[in-house]
Amino acid sequence: MTADPATLDVTIVDGYVDEPAHFGVPPYISTYPRYTAGALVDAGVPEDRITYHTIDALRDDRSLWADVADADLMIYVGGMTVPGKYVGGTPAEPDEVRELTWTADGTTLLGGPVRFGVGDENKGAEETERDDLDYDFVAKGDVEAAAHDLVREGLEGFGDRMRDNEEIARWARAGAFVVEQHPNHPDYLIAELETSRGCAYRCSFCTEPLYGDPAFRTADSVVDEVDALSDHGVRDFRLGRQADILAFGGDGEAPNPDALRALYSGIREVAPDLRTLHLDNMNPVTITDYPEKSREGIRIIAEHNTPGDTAAFGLESADPVVREENNLLVSAEECLEAVRIVNEEAGWRPGGPSDENREAAPNFGSDAAPRLPKLLPGINLVHGLKGERTETFEHNRQFLQDLLDEGLMVRRINIRQVMAFEGTEMAETGAEIAHDHKQQFKQYKREVRETIDNPMLQRVAPPGTVLPDVHLEYHQDGKTFGRQLGTYPLLVAIPGERELGATIDVAITDHGYRSVTGVPHPLDLNAASLNELTAIPGIGRSTAGDIVVDRPYDSVEDVRPTAEVDLRRFATARSPEGAD
C-alpha cells in the first residue's frame, strides 16, 4: 500500500453528528467531513482521490461499499451527544460503524464526537462508554487534525491534538468541494458553519466544555468559507457551531456587536443569492448580563437573517434545586426576560406593518404579515439531571405556561432526557434519575405538547402564514410531508401525494403539536382538489364542493361568500387554459 499522499485513495464516511452546538444529520452537512477533506488536501491528497459518502447512501446502494473496501485510508466521522428524532437521515448505529472498519482493507480512522463515547443506541436516558469500535486509529483530539497528521506520517500514526483556527481557515476553504458529493446537493443541503467552539461555562451534562474555553474564528475566515461553499453550489447556511452567537468575536461572555455586523454583512456580500441564513445557540445569560449590547446584536442578526430563524436557549431546568446542582446559568425569570428581549428586537414579521414599525413586535393574529418572525427563541429542557424531583416537572410546566400567558413567542420547545458522557459531571450520576422518572417524563411531555406547543404554534404561525421553498420529503396517509431548510423547520403536511424532491410554497391552514398542515400557495381555486379546499379554515366539505361545482372563476372575489374566511390569504383564481 502506498503512503505517498499524492497517490492515496481516501474515503470519508459521514455517520452524522448531533451535538449541543452542531447539526450534521441531513439536510445538514456538518463541518467534520468538509474540514477533514480540506486537511487531506492540505496534506497533499488530490481532491479527485477523496470520496465522500453518507451512511444513508451506503445503506441505499451496496455497490458504494467498494469505496470503503478499496480505500487506502477510510475515515469515519460521526457521533451523537444529544438524542433526537430525524426525518432527513438516520445516524449510524455502533454495529454499522464496526461493519465499516471490518469491510475496509486499508487503514481506518475513527473520529468526531463519537470519541466521547457510544451507547447501545442513539437515544436519551443512555449511559455511554468510550469504544474504539475496532478501528486502527481513534482520534482522541480533532479528526481533521488526525487525518492531516496521519497522511503526513505515512499512515503510521499521529499525536492526538486539537486543530487551531489558522488551520481551519485553510481547511474550510480547501474542503468545500466535498459538498458536491452529498446526495442532497445542491437543492436540499444546508451547511453548518462554525464561529467558535468550547464554552466559558460548565453545565454538568454538556460536552461542549470538553472542547475547552471558547476559541473564536475571525469574521473574515467564516465569510471566506461561505464564499467557497457558495462557489460549490451551496445557498443555505446555518451558524450553528457555537455555544453563543452573541459572544462571537468577544471574550466568550460579553457581546461584540461590531464583530456580528462584520460576520453577517460579510456573508450577505459574498452570497447575495443565499436562500437561508439561520443560527442556533444563543446563551440567555448573555442577554440578562449585557442587555443593551445584546439588543444591538440581536437587531443586527434580524436585519441580515432569513425568516423563521431560531435561537436555542439552554434553560435546561426551571427548578432552582436542579439549577444549583448542575451549574445551570439562568433562572426561570431570567430566561423569561431574555425571551422578552428577543421577541421585542427580532419577533417582527417581514412584509407587514412591523417592517416599518418594529416596536409592534411580537405580533400575531389576523393582522400579522404572512411570514414567520425573523428570530425567536427556542427553549431547551433537559431531564434526568442531578437533583431532579417530582416538583421539577411542575416548575418547567409553569415556566412554559408563563410564556404563553404573557403573549410571548418561542419557536420550539425541546424536551429530552440526558445522555451521560465520560468527562462530564453527569458521568457519576449516569442515566439512573432519567430511568426512575421515565413514566412521569412521558406524561409531562405529552401534556406540554397538548397544552403549550399547539397554542404556541398557532401564535407563531397563524393560518395564512406562507412558508416559501418547502422541500417535499415523503408520503404518508395520503399526504405529502416536507420542510423548509433552516433551524428547527416546521414539518408540513399537504393533502394528496405530490412529487417528492419538488419545492413549493405553502400556506399554513391548521396546527398539530409540532407540525402544521398547509396547502400550496397560492392555491388555484380552478384546479384545487376537494381535500385542498377543505383544508382551508372555515371551508367545510360542503362549501368546498360548491366551489368545485361553480368553477371556473375569474378572481377569488367571484367565489360565493359562504364561509367566513379571507380566501385571498390562501388562493388565487387562474383561468384554465382554453376556458371562455
Side-chain angles (χ1 to χ4, degrees):
M1 181 178 65
T2 180
D4 178 3
T7 58
L8 283 180
D9 288 316
V10 184
T11 295
I12 301 170
V13 176
D14 188 350
Y16 309 143
V17 303
D18 193 353
E19 301 182 85
H22 206 171
F23 278 0
V25 182
Y28 305 93
I29 181 169
S30 74
T31 63
Y32 291 106
R34 298 173 359 232
Y35 291 0
T36 300
L40 292 168
V41 171
D42 196 36
V45 181
E47 285 185 15
D48 61 7
R49 301 190 78 94
I50 299 172
T51 300
Y52 166 78
H53 291 309
T54 66
I55 188 65
D56 281 314
L58 292 173
R59 291 178 183 129
D60 294 342
D61 185 353
R62 292 297 301 187
S63 71
L64 298 179
W65 284 76
D67 293 329
V68 174
D70 298 341
D72 299 312
L73 173 62
M74 190 279 289
I75 304 172
Y76 173 81
V77 294
M80 320 299 287
T81 63
V82 291
K85 293 183 179 179
Y86 310 100
V87 175
T90 303
E93 294 288 353
D95 286 347
E96 292 178 305
V97 183
R98 287 190 182 92
E99 185 183 1
L100 288 164
T101 190
W102 294 340
T103 301
D105 293 329
T107 302
T108 58
L109 169 65
L110 174 84
V114 67
R115 71 186 176 90
F116 295 129
V118 295
D120 293 332
E121 298 178 77
N122 296 322
K123 64 178 184 179
E126 277 280 288
E127 295 178 14
T128 68
E129 60 181 22
R130 290 194 169 122
D131 189 340
D132 66 11
L133 297 171
D134 296 338
Y135 278 68
D136 296 326
F137 297 101
V138 177
K140 299 293 175 54
D142 283 320
V143 64
E144 53 267 43
H148 176 273
D149 296 352
L150 184 61
V151 168
R152 283 289 180 91
E153 293 299 320
L155 303 185
E156 295 296 326
F158 56 87
D160 286 313
R161 70 178 180 90
M162 309 300 280
R163 40 76 170 175
D164 60 41
N165 282 332
E166 287 185 7
E167 288 175 314
I168 289 307
R170 299 197 307 271
W171 297 348
R173 171 168 279 280
F177 74 93
V178 85
V179 298
E180 297 190 23
Q181 299 180 45
H182 195 289
N184 287 31
H185 181 273
D187 295 327
Y188 196 49
L189 186 65
I190 182 166
E192 191 83 335
L193 300 172
E194 175 182 320
T195 66
S196 70
R197 66 174 183 175
C199 188
Y201 305 101
R202 299 293 183 267
C203 299
S204 69
F205 62 93
C206 187
T207 56
E208 193 61 23
L210 300 181
Y211 289 106
D213 289 330
F216 294 97
R217 297 172 65 188
T218 65
D220 287 345
S221 172
V222 180
V223 169
D224 189 54
E225 181 179 2
V226 171
D227 190 27
L229 288 166
S230 63
D231 286 345
H232 288 282
V234 178
R235 295 176 59 198
D236 303 276
F237 305 93
R238 198 183 89 114
L239 295 158
R241 187 68 181 94
Q242 70 268 316
D244 181 11
I245 187 65
L246 287 179
F248 175 73
D251 60 4
E253 297 183 26
N256 184 339
D258 290 339
L260 282 171
R261 186 175 291 106
L263 175 67
Y264 272 87
S265 63
I267 289 172
R268 281 291 192 173
E269 184 176 344
V270 299
D273 60 345
L274 65 78
R275 291 176 299 204
T276 308
L277 180 55
H278 279 187
L279 61 91
D280 192 359
N281 296 294
M282 182 181 289
N283 201 329
V285 76
T286 304
I287 300 174
T288 56
D289 285 353
Y290 307 96
E292 292 311 312
K293 282 191 173 183
S294 293
R295 283 182 182 273
E296 184 180 355
I298 292 165
R299 285 195 296 270
I300 290 167
I301 293 168
E303 288 286 346
H304 293 88
N305 70 350
T306 54
D309 201 357
T310 306
F313 276 10
L315 171 61
E316 320 306 359
S317 181
D319 183 344
V321 171
V322 176
R323 180 192 176 199
E324 179 69 24
E325 291 201 26
N326 293 274
N327 306 317
L328 305 182
L329 300 175
V330 291
S331 66
E333 181 51 47
E334 287 170 331
C335 189
L336 198 63
E337 175 61 16
V339 171
R340 292 185 192 108
I341 288 173
V342 175
N343 271 238
E344 291 165 6
E345 300 297 344
W348 51 276
R349 301 172 190 265
S354 61
D355 243 350
E356 290 73 41
N357 180 20
R358 294 173 185 177
E359 292 181 2
N363 62 331
F364 46 86
S366 58
D367 294 333
R371 294 296 301 275
L372 290 174
K374 285 305 279 314
L375 176 69
L376 293 178
I379 302 297
N380 292 342
L381 296 170
V382 179
H383 284 268
L385 298 175
K386 290 182 293 183
E388 183 172 281
R389 54 204 175 127
T390 299
E391 293 92 330
T392 302
F393 295 89
E394 187 51 43
H395 278 289
N396 287 351
R397 262 192 298 259
Q398 187 58 55
F399 169 79
L400 296 173
Q401 189 63 52
D402 290 345
L403 284 176
L404 196 64
D405 292 346
E406 194 172 318
L408 296 169
M409 293 189 290
V410 295
R411 169 55 198 87
R412 69 98 178 91
I413 301 162
N414 184 25
I415 301 172
R416 64 180 179 89
Q417 288 189 295
V418 71
M419 296 176 77
F421 286 90
E422 189 177 335
T424 69
E425 289 182 26
M426 276 301 297
E428 257 181 56
T429 306
E432 183 179 344
I433 296 173
H435 285 303
D436 289 347
H437 295 171
K438 193 93 174 178
Q439 288 307 117
Q440 187 175 5
F441 174 79
K442 287 181 178 178
Q443 179 182 347
Y444 143 86
K445 191 172 181 178
R446 183 171 59 251
E447 289 175 3
V448 170
R449 298 296 177 235
E450 293 171 354
T451 63
I452 305 294
D453 274 336
N454 181 265
M456 183 63 75
L457 192 52
Q458 293 185 52
R459 180 178 294 174
V460 172
T465 300
V466 176
L467 305 178
D469 299 324
V470 173
H471 185 88
L472 306 182
E473 294 185 289
Y474 64 94
H475 297 139
Q476 184 178 311
D477 301 329
K479 299 175 182 177
T480 303
F481 288 80
R483 296 176 297 170
Q484 295 176 295
L485 285 171
T487 298
Y488 311 109
L490 286 169
L491 182 64
V492 188
I494 303 158
E497 294 194 351
R498 294 179 165 267
E499 179 188 356
L500 299 184
T503 300
I504 64 172
D505 296 349
V506 174
I508 293 174
T509 58
D510 201 4
H511 306 78
Y513 300 143
R514 307 192 79 189
S515 60
V516 295
T517 301
V519 295
H521 183 268
L523 186 65
D524 183 359
L525 295 178
N526 288 322
S529 70
L530 197 64
N531 285 339
E532 289 171 337
L533 291 168
T534 305
I536 297 175
I539 294 183
R541 202 158 188 84
S542 175
T543 301
D546 291 341
I547 291 173
V548 170
V549 168
D550 291 342
R551 293 196 295 212
Y553 303 97
D554 291 328
S555 69
V556 175
E557 286 74 16
D558 291 342
V559 179
R560 288 183 297 169
T562 52
E564 292 185 5
V565 58
D566 184 2
L567 278 176
R568 291 169 298 182
R569 291 177 70 90
F570 303 92
T572 186
R574 302 187 183 97
S575 297
E577 188 176 348
D580 292 334

